[in-house]
Amino acid sequence: MAMLTILPSGKTVEITEGKSVLDAILSASVAILHKCNGKAECGSCHIFVQEGRKGLSKIGAVENAKLDSIVGVGSKSRLACQAMMLGTENVTVELLGFSSGF
């Protein structure tokens, strides 16, 4: 089983294959906006993957289209609701200031 580390809190949670990064973050009791409830419609769960990108599913067309519409997107950007844990390696994600509070 792989581990997900959530920055800036440094909280670590064990995750199972097939679980979204959003679900893993919420199960760790870490606050993250997710206005559309995981449908890739709002982009509020935008995160940066700092380590372990190969431990996540590939970016699909719907996620890619939403990322294209978000300001501040970089090569490490993912939507937490669309990035699925593969369970093959540990992953470290960074919550962004504008999306990590309520």
Side-chain angles (χ1 to χ4, degrees):
M1 202 173 284
M3 301 296 285
L4 174 69
T5 302
I6 306 158
L7 301 176
S9 71
K11 203 169 221 184
T12 301
V13 62
E14 209 169 304
I15 47 85
T16 56
E17 179 183 350
K19 189 173 196 173
S20 74
V21 172
L22 176 62
D23 287 341
I25 291 169
L26 294 173
S27 71
S29 299
V30 175
I32 179 172
L33 285 179
H34 53 287
K35 296 177 184 176
C36 69
N37 293 315
K39 299 176 188 157
E41 294 173 352
C42 68
S44 64
C45 66
H46 176 215
I47 58 170
F48 285 148
V49 180
Q50 299 295 355
E51 294 179 19
R53 288 185 70 82
K54 291 182 181 180
L56 299 174
S57 60
K58 293 184 179 188
I59 295 176
V62 172
E63 179 181 7
N64 197 42
K66 179 48 67 181
L67 286 171
D68 281 346
S69 71
I70 298 172
V71 174
V73 168
S75 62
K76 296 180 179 183
S77 292
R78 290 296 305 263
L79 296 180
C81 68
Q82 299 299 299
M84 299 297 171
M85 302 296 298
L86 300 178
T88 56
E89 64 180 87
N90 295 337
V91 176
T92 300
V93 299
E94 180 180 358
L95 304 185
L96 306 174
F98 56 84
S99 69
S100 59
F102 288 100

